[in-house]
Amino acid sequence: MNLPEPIRLVAFLVGLMAFVGFNAAYLVWAERKGSGRFQRRLGPTEVGFAGLLQPIADSIKLLTKQLLVPPTVDGLLFRAAPLLVIIPAMVSLAVIPFSENLVARDLHLGLLVVFSFGSIHVLAVMLAGWASRNKYAIISAARVVSQNVAYEIPMLLVVITILMTTNTTSLSEIVQKQAGPFWHWNIFRLDQNPLAPVTFLVFYICMLAETNRAPFDMAEAESELVAGAITEYSGMGFGVFFIGEYANVLVGCALATLLFLGGWQSPIGVLPGAFWFLLKMYVLIFAVMWVRWTFPRTQFYTLLNLSWKVLIPISLGTLVLTAITLKLF
Amino acid sequence: MTPAEAIEAARRAGNETFILNLGPQHPATHGVLRIKLTMDGEYILRAEPVAGYIHRMHEKMGENRTWAQYLPNTSRIDYLSAMTYTHAYVAAVERAAGIEVPRRAEFIRVITSELNRISSHLVWFGAFLLDLGGFTPLLYAFDDREKILDMLEAITGSRLTYCYYRFGGVYNDVDDAFLGAARDFVPYMRERLKMYETLVTENLILRKRLEGIGPISKKMCHKYGATGPVMRGSGIAYDVRRMEPYSVYPELEFDIPHYPEGDCMARYRVRMEEMAQSLRIIEQAVAMIPAGPFQTPGVPKSLKPPAGDYCFAVEAARGRLMVRIVSDGKEMPYRVRWRTPSFCNITLFEEASRGMMLADALALLGSLDLVIPDIDR
Amino acid sequence: MDINKPNASQGVVSPSLLAEHPLAHLVIPFEKVDYARRGVHFEARVEPAQVVLAAALMEQEGFALDAVTGVDWPQDNQMEIVYDFFHPMMGWRTAVRTRVRRDLPEVPSIEHIYPGANWHEREAWEFFGIHFSGHPQLTPLLLPDDADYHPLRKDFAVA
Amino acid sequence: MKSAREFWKGCLSLWAGMRVTLREFFKPPVTEQYPYEAPVIPPRFRGHIELVRDPKTGEAICFACKACEKACPSDCIVVEGEKKPGAKRKSVTVFKLDFTKCSLCGSCIEACKSGAIRFSKDYNLAGFTKEDFIMDLFKRLEEEARQQAANEHAVSPAVPPPAETAGTVKTPDVVVVEVEGQGR
């Protein structure tokens, strides 16, 4: 189906918007049902069969709620922050190849696009925290900045290791290089990068920290900072931050699948690529939820020490090691 | 000093501080306690707890009710370990009026008090981890606590505010179903404590979060009169069941867990091991409980204990609970004074939390295991 | 005697040392009281001025503060203040009593010896109106900040 | 190197914790689905107090001796009685219980020598106004008596829940409790 370029692009973008919207809603449902099962209870069951209509009910409630903007708030920044949360996620999804030809715009520099937009997410949460003139929000804004800066570096170091092994920045080419049986996936390519699983783990931890999830939810630490940076938001403002958070988790897991688990390459080569890509992505998202409902929150300086003193040395080490192995073999 | 002076002093010192109100509505205070924090960035310069939001004046209520009518009040001061509070008041009046308590009633009191201690520690365990961000253990702990509450509801009729003890014994007898349920509960709970051990106690994140945080020295415990797991976490093995033995505790085999470090992890470990010790007590008590009357007959309906003042101390879940009753020979108490453990434990928060970060101060607050009506009465 | 290994943590009744009077050497006379009857081992009645000395002696002996209780005796026009102490190592219980005039209840504060007494004294002040001189912050603790009534006095009209 | 080994042991503890939660993930839920499953009420459950009917005469045992009124710490019981002609003892006409102040301590039941009141098994009381909880137990006893009389010689099996008199609050369940099988 080779529609003319602009119509194809518009169709893809609308498809992506629907994908993100659908995912944000039903990841919330999956998280509530999953946390229920972890805690030996049921999760939402009333609205629709097994609570399937719950996300729709939630979004309608959020939409109809009054979005009140407190008077002492810095109006422009307060309204801009929610938009800044959504835009990077949408744009980076446009570059991600869901399967062989299912990609909005296969840019040659796909990897760089994703990471450059990834850092805007930090700006958004900080703006929200700063603009709402609320003491808890300001503390959380300060935390978010230092946390994301600390975890940006090991993530990029890991990406550089991948770049070295696949020497291309185009996401679909990275996946093509991992074709064949599943030990061709980057996570198992010990011949190029002897510490490949460790690199995957470092990338995964950094992704968790980037999206303020699980043991590192410093920004929205509900038992300390009430609701952190988004305390003053209500109605759809709060809803958009929620969608933004899940969209970023989506992008993070998609990236992890592409870079390490061989994107749409199927281990047994029978079903279409997109199915395998989504399967791997949702397994990783399940792991994000699994981690969230098991661990308490780390301290703030332990979090920073973990990054500066542990993750960065490890990622630097793997970088050098990969360089040596590539050079020798 | 007043907040204005604090801000002035801080401004002169060149850094800009702000006052952050932790509470009275805050997820981590588990009740209506407000702490005025003078903060410099994320570090706490000065923490001043403000109490009184749930003050109901139990001590004045004591003065216009008869001795027996005051019983429902006793289980509403610290609703999490209501049995031990009723035990303290009832035993104080028995000591004043010289009422004998049959052995079976004493054993029933020990079993129900220890069950209540475990259910109170389970609430603390869940709420403490909730403050630290781990949500799931709370639901496992409440699942176990549900079993205890069902057992106690079967014999007393209510789940939280029992009002089960009477002067000279208990309200109604304990049947074999209850004793059987208590006997089966012990191995089940030991299994669950092992699970909490792997899930939480050995968890690297939790240990990093609690070790070395909020050190409370022995000297501080002495000065502020902090008792219970807080004192036992700082190395002093003080437990009223051993130091001022009452009821049938001297006949029971159990030891007092205590750790010298005095940080949040030590207090955490003390409470977890206390649950194991309570299980040991319940096991022995269920085995040793004799048959016989559960209440001394002939206790006058309108009791008039001889004039004078008497006091009785009990080991509640949060620490040493002392009741001082003054009687002037009439049928209404002249004065009832409750020395509650949380009231003394909160006073050391100001000194212990100076210079800490907000998240650590909340971990310290959670490790003190405060019940706010216990402070306000 | 190991400081944090009290002798009573294995079930032996602690105050077995009562044979000889352990507090006899103190300057303030503590007489022995029947514990089973009253719940206290030693009791001393002191003048309001000696309260600080008694507290200092207790602190020196290793006692911890238990409670500061006010009792209103309108018939003999006095107010009684009872300081309770407990010994974390030996398990002893002492009570120090003092009586002050009802119309001008004035007692020196022991807050500088036992900081824990800060809240106890504030509570006794707001419930009875007993003024603890030298207390850094005698403002209402549990009652509303503008409370000028003292509820635990016998003449307080209960609505 | 000690800290490295300790860090590695720590990571193992993290994985052990995750295994525990995964094991719990596959176990059935323990929660009780309230509106569909009625909770099991033990025999000694303390609901609000209710009058006991004398099996022989079908009348309330209570003869308004007001022992319970004196024993109640929060004065929530008001009893009126009057001597019917021909009867040797008084019989109760009004038994008002203010359930908003009752703390369920059972002092009234202990004080009552003739066992005329006991704890009821009502656990789901709901009302819109405070007055709903000022109950007149005697009127309710008569209401039940009339209801039972209606049931005896009523033919139709489907019996609606007892109709509500104005004062009492015994509103039927939001979802009638004894509905079996209407789960998900």
Side-chain angles (χ1 to χ4, degrees):
Chain A
M1 52 145 189
N2 39 26
L3 301 158
E5 188 49 24
I7 297 172
R8 193 187 75 82
L9 200 56
V10 164
F12 259 97
L13 286 184
V14 166
L16 275 179
M17 296 273 204
F19 179 71
V20 167
F22 173 79
N23 252 304
Y26 276 88
L27 277 185
V28 169
W29 174 80
E31 173 118 43
R32 290 173 67 172
K33 286 299 257 188
S35 75
R37 298 298 293 167
F38 275 121
Q39 293 158 1
R40 306 280 304 277
R41 55 185 173 85
L42 281 185
T45 52
E46 289 306 311
V47 188
F49 175 72
L52 277 175
L53 299 183
Q54 183 70 37
I56 295 158
D58 285 350
S59 36
I60 292 172
K61 175 202 79 174
L62 282 179
L63 279 169
T64 49
K65 258 198 184 157
Q66 181 208 10
L67 174 58
L68 52 90
V69 180
T72 59
V73 139
D74 176 336
L76 179 64
L77 298 183
F78 189 77
R79 290 179 179 78
L83 304 181
L84 282 179
V85 172
I86 285 289
I87 293 169
M90 292 290 184
V91 167
S92 21
L93 270 177
V95 173
I96 287 183
F98 287 86
S99 82
E100 202 65 38
N101 40 34
L102 197 63
V103 61
R105 168 69 76 175
D106 186 6
L107 292 178
H108 189 59
L109 296 168
L111 204 54
L112 301 190
V113 163
V114 170
F115 279 101
S116 56
F117 277 102
S119 56
I120 297 182
H121 168 73
V122 175
L123 198 63
V125 180
M126 192 193 70
L127 278 189
W130 169 257
S132 36
R133 291 285 187 281
N134 166 331
K135 291 179 187 136
Y136 286 120
I138 290 171
I139 294 180
S140 124
R143 283 188 180 182
V144 152
V145 170
S146 41
Q147 173 182 335
N148 280 45
V149 159
Y151 278 86
E152 199 75 23
I153 300 163
M155 200 165 195
L156 292 178
L157 285 173
V158 161
V159 163
I160 294 167
T161 337
I162 296 295
L163 275 185
M164 273 203 304
T165 50
T166 56
N167 52 49
T168 155
T169 56
S170 150
L171 288 172
S172 42
E173 263 170 49
I174 292 176
V175 173
Q176 270 140 21
K177 280 213 160 54
Q178 298 174 33
F182 69 89
W183 54 82
H184 280 189
W185 293 349
N186 282 348
I187 191 168
F188 302 114
R189 296 290 290 273
L190 301 182
D191 53 349
Q192 290 173 337
N193 168 5
L195 286 175
V198 172
T199 332
F200 172 70
L201 213 59
V202 168
F203 183 83
Y204 194 75
I205 293 173
C206 293
M207 188 273 295
L208 279 180
E210 281 286 311
T211 54
N212 295 326
R213 281 285 307 189
F216 312 110
D217 53 356
M218 281 302 146
E220 200 249 337
E222 59 278 356
S223 62
E224 287 150 28
L225 304 177
V226 185
I230 46 181
T231 323
E232 292 303 333
Y233 282 86
S234 63
M236 215 35 207
F238 179 77
V240 165
F241 271 99
F242 228 64
I243 294 174
E245 184 194 336
Y246 280 103
N248 278 305
V249 166
L250 207 68
V251 167
C253 289
L255 259 176
T257 343
L258 283 174
L259 300 181
F260 288 94
L261 300 178
W264 68 77
Q265 306 297 354
S266 65
I268 44 173
V270 61
L271 289 168
F275 166 76
W276 289 108
F277 178 79
L278 291 178
L279 177 71
K280 292 174 199 163
M281 191 170 71
Y282 283 121
V283 162
L284 284 181
I285 289 179
F286 173 76
V288 166
M289 292 180 195
W290 181 13
V291 160
R292 169 171 189 180
W293 299 109
T294 316
F295 293 132
R297 195 176 305 112
T298 55
Q299 270 147 334
F300 191 56
Y301 41 82
T302 334
L303 178 102
L304 295 181
N305 291 348
L306 179 72
S307 162
W308 294 105
K309 290 186 181 141
V310 177
L311 293 187
I312 290 181
I314 290 180
S315 43
L316 271 175
T318 42
L319 185 68
V320 167
L321 212 61
T322 327
I324 296 167
T325 43
L326 284 180
K327 203 76 192 105
L328 295 182
F329 308 108
Chain B
M1 55 186 176
T2 63
E5 287 154 11
I7 292 175
E8 217 36 60
R11 178 156 294 129
R12 268 200 308 283
N15 51 19
E16 205 197 276
T17 71
F18 60 97
I19 301 261
L20 179 69
N21 266 322
L22 198 70
Q25 262 174 343
H26 188 275
T29 48
H30 297 290
V32 270
L33 167 75
R34 170 171 157 231
I35 300 179
K36 240 174 11 191
L37 299 171
T38 317
M39 309 265 291
D40 164 21
E42 257 209 67
Y43 290 90
I44 295 174
L45 292 182
R46 188 168 169 281
E48 194 212 334
V50 176
Y53 287 91
I54 188 168
H55 170 57
R56 292 156 298 179
M57 204 69 223
H58 274 286
E59 292 175 357
K60 186 72 178 178
M61 279 199 240
E63 285 167 15
N64 43 40
R65 275 168 175 66
T66 67
W67 296 94
Q69 282 179 339
Y70 190 57
L71 280 171
N73 285 54
T74 55
S75 43
R76 275 145 174 96
I77 291 177
D78 173 2
Y79 41 78
L80 285 183
S81 58
M83 286 284 187
T84 36
Y85 277 64
T86 318
H87 192 167
Y89 175 73
V90 159
V93 172
E94 278 156 9
R95 171 175 276 172
I99 302 171
E100 272 301 312
V101 179
R103 256 177 81 77
R104 182 174 176 85
E106 286 292 0
F107 273 98
I108 295 175
R109 284 184 182 176
V110 162
I111 296 173
T112 42
S113 292
E114 292 308 321
L115 279 175
N116 201 247
R117 189 189 312 276
I118 295 178
S119 81
S120 161
H121 279 338
L122 284 174
V123 171
W124 159 79
F125 173 71
F128 184 46
L129 282 163
L130 198 66
D131 294 352
L132 302 178
F135 192 85
T136 314
L138 169 79
L139 288 144
Y140 297 157
F142 269 50
D143 176 24
D144 303 337
R145 182 166 174 264
E146 208 51 42
K147 293 186 172 44
I148 299 178
L149 294 191
D150 290 347
M151 267 195 274
L152 292 176
E153 186 184 16
I155 53 164
T156 64
S158 71
R159 291 164 59 83
L160 208 58
T161 53
Y162 304 105
C163 190
Y164 176 53
Y165 298 162
R166 289 295 181 274
F167 304 133
V170 282
Y171 181 52
N172 43 25
D173 200 355
V174 160
D175 47 18
D176 294 342
F178 170 76
L179 294 177
R183 203 173 291 120
D184 307 340
F185 176 72
V186 172
Y188 162 80
M189 193 56 202
R190 286 200 175 119
E191 239 347 90
R192 294 290 284 195
L193 284 177
K194 261 203 231 53
M195 181 186 98
Y196 294 146
E197 190 78 18
T198 44
L199 176 64
V200 178
T201 315
E202 284 150 12
N203 191 312
L204 174 69
I205 299 176
L206 186 93
R207 283 217 312 280
K208 276 274 188 313
R209 190 74 199 271
L210 293 183
E211 267 157 8
I213 306 297
I216 296 180
S217 65
K218 274 195 260 295
K219 197 82 201 70
M220 221 190 263
C221 282
H222 266 274
K223 282 197 300 181
Y224 289 98
T227 55
V230 177
M231 190 178 234
R232 288 194 283 277
S234 309
I236 306 170
Y238 177 78
D239 186 322
V240 179
R241 294 172 293 183
R242 280 289 182 241
M243 302 304 265
E244 294 174 54
Y246 58 95
S247 179
V248 284
Y249 280 110
E251 302 164 33
L252 297 172
E253 257 296 308
F254 64 98
D255 42 16
I256 313 294
H258 58 281
Y259 286 84
E261 297 91 0
D263 56 7
C264 287
M265 197 61 191
R267 289 185 284 275
Y268 171 88
R269 282 219 173 85
V270 163
R271 288 198 186 91
M272 294 308 274
E273 268 162 50
E274 248 173 40
M275 282 203 250
Q277 291 307 323
S278 294
L279 288 174
R280 254 178 84 191
I281 294 174
I282 293 170
E283 211 171 23
Q284 294 165 46
V286 166
M288 288 160 65
I289 185 164
F294 58 90
Q295 190 163 29
T296 315
V299 173
K301 268 286 169 268
S302 63
L303 197 63
K304 291 192 176 63
D309 69 50
Y310 314 86
C311 55
F312 195 90
V314 150
E315 181 66 29
R318 271 147 207 78
R320 173 187 164 78
L321 163 72
M322 195 272 289
V323 180
R324 173 174 282 282
I325 52 172
V326 178
S327 153
D328 57 357
K330 298 205 180 61
E331 81 276 357
M332 291 196 185
Y334 190 78
R335 169 86 164 96
V336 181
R337 168 73 167 134
W338 291 91
R339 184 266 186 203
T340 52
S342 301
F343 184 81
C344 301
N345 291 352
I346 183 89
T347 45
L348 60 82
F349 182 75
E350 190 168 350
E351 185 179 336
S353 73
R354 200 158 291 149
M356 287 170 88
M357 289 184 68
L358 184 60
D360 299 341
L362 288 174
L364 168 67
L365 194 67
S367 77
L368 293 177
D369 185 10
L370 301 169
V371 168
I372 313 307
D374 203 22
I375 298 172
D376 296 350
R377 291 183 306 274
Chain C
M1 180 185 74
D2 170 9
I3 183 70
N4 57 22
K5 195 85 195 69
N7 64 348
S9 68
Q10 258 62 40
V12 73
V13 175
S14 67
S16 57
L17 299 174
L18 283 186
E20 19 73 33
H21 189 324
L23 297 180
H25 58 282
L26 296 183
V27 70
I28 291 182
F30 279 86
E31 351 90 25
K32 225 162 32 159
V33 164
D34 169 15
Y35 174 78
R37 203 60 203 87
R38 300 279 312 289
V40 178
H41 294 120
F42 307 103
E43 218 168 64
R45 178 179 296 282
V46 290
E47 287 309 312
Q50 288 178 316
V51 160
V52 179
L53 171 64
L57 285 175
M58 283 290 113
E59 215 272 333
Q60 188 195 355
E61 287 297 312
F63 279 82
L65 178 72
D66 204 8
V68 176
T69 319
V71 187
D72 180 14
W73 299 99
Q75 55 269 34
D76 24 351
N77 199 348
Q78 282 181 332
M79 275 212 189
E80 185 183 16
I81 301 146
V82 184
Y83 295 83
D84 279 297
F85 299 93
F86 67 96
H87 198 288
M89 301 312 156
M90 310 301 290
W92 300 326
R93 280 278 289 112
T94 53
V96 174
R97 305 171 169 284
T98 176
R99 286 200 171 227
V100 287
R101 282 185 28 215
R102 189 161 187 285
D103 42 13
L104 191 60
E106 176 78 30
V107 166
S109 156
I110 60 169
E111 200 264 344
H112 51 284
I113 302 170
Y114 282 106
N118 183 324
W119 273 32
H120 287 279
E121 287 173 350
R122 262 175 84 181
E123 190 188 338
W125 174 75
E126 75 183 339
F127 285 163
F128 290 92
I130 303 166
H131 185 75
F132 291 87
S133 53
H135 191 286
Q137 193 197 6
L138 265 188
T139 55
L141 172 69
L142 301 174
L143 296 176
D145 291 346
D146 53 5
D148 54 4
Y149 45 86
H150 301 298
L152 271 181
R153 283 181 171 224
K154 286 299 173 185
D155 49 18
F156 176 75
V158 178
Chain D
M1 274 317 284
K2 194 188 79 51
S3 72
R5 205 175 326 109
E6 195 191 287
F7 184 72
W8 172 245
K9 213 153 46 65
C11 297
L12 285 187
S13 76
L14 295 184
W15 173 242
M18 285 175 85
R19 262 207 322 275
V20 168
T21 26
L22 192 65
R23 212 177 331 117
E24 293 296 318
F25 183 80
F26 294 107
K27 286 187 185 149
V30 293
T31 48
E32 183 187 277
Q33 311 310 320
Y34 165 62
Y36 307 109
E37 296 158 16
V40 172
I41 301 295
R44 286 185 185 165
F45 177 76
R46 294 190 200 169
H48 62 80
I49 55 172
E50 62 184 7
L51 286 172
V52 176
R53 196 176 304 109
D54 184 351
K56 288 187 298 303
T57 65
E59 288 305 319
I61 302 174
C62 170
F63 50 91
C65 70
K66 296 195 198 271
C68 51
E69 199 173 315
K70 281 198 287 300
C72 174
S74 10
D75 315 328
C76 37
I77 296 176
V78 170
V79 186
E80 301 309 339
E82 36 98 28
K83 196 165 178 23
K84 285 210 181 62
K88 53 184 175 2
R89 277 199 310 195
K90 283 199 295 188
S91 67
V92 65
T93 54
V94 170
F95 194 107
K96 244 193 206 341
L97 165 73
D98 176 355
F99 194 53
T100 53
K101 295 212 280 290
C102 166
S103 57
L104 292 169
C105 62
S107 308
C108 50
I109 294 170
E110 268 179 77
C112 175
K113 307 250 172 333
S114 49
I117 42 178
R118 63 166 181 241
F119 282 116
S120 71
K121 298 292 175 280
D122 292 347
Y123 61 90
N124 43 18
L125 301 173
F128 292 101
T129 59
K130 218 166 182 237
E131 284 64 33
D132 281 358
F133 289 94
I134 317 278
M135 312 175 195
D136 185 342
L137 301 181
F138 182 70
K139 198 178 293 168
R140 172 183 297 204
L141 194 73
E142 277 178 357
E143 192 51 51
E144 268 155 30
R146 199 176 311 119
Q147 198 55 44
Q148 228 150 17
N151 297 351
E152 254 94 47
H153 52 71
V155 172
S156 64
V159 172
E164 277 352 277
T165 50
T168 59
V169 77
K170 182 71 184 61
T171 48
D173 272 348
V174 169
V175 172
V176 180
V177 169
E178 281 72 29
V179 174
E180 278 72 29
Q182 186 235 335
R184 286 162 330 293

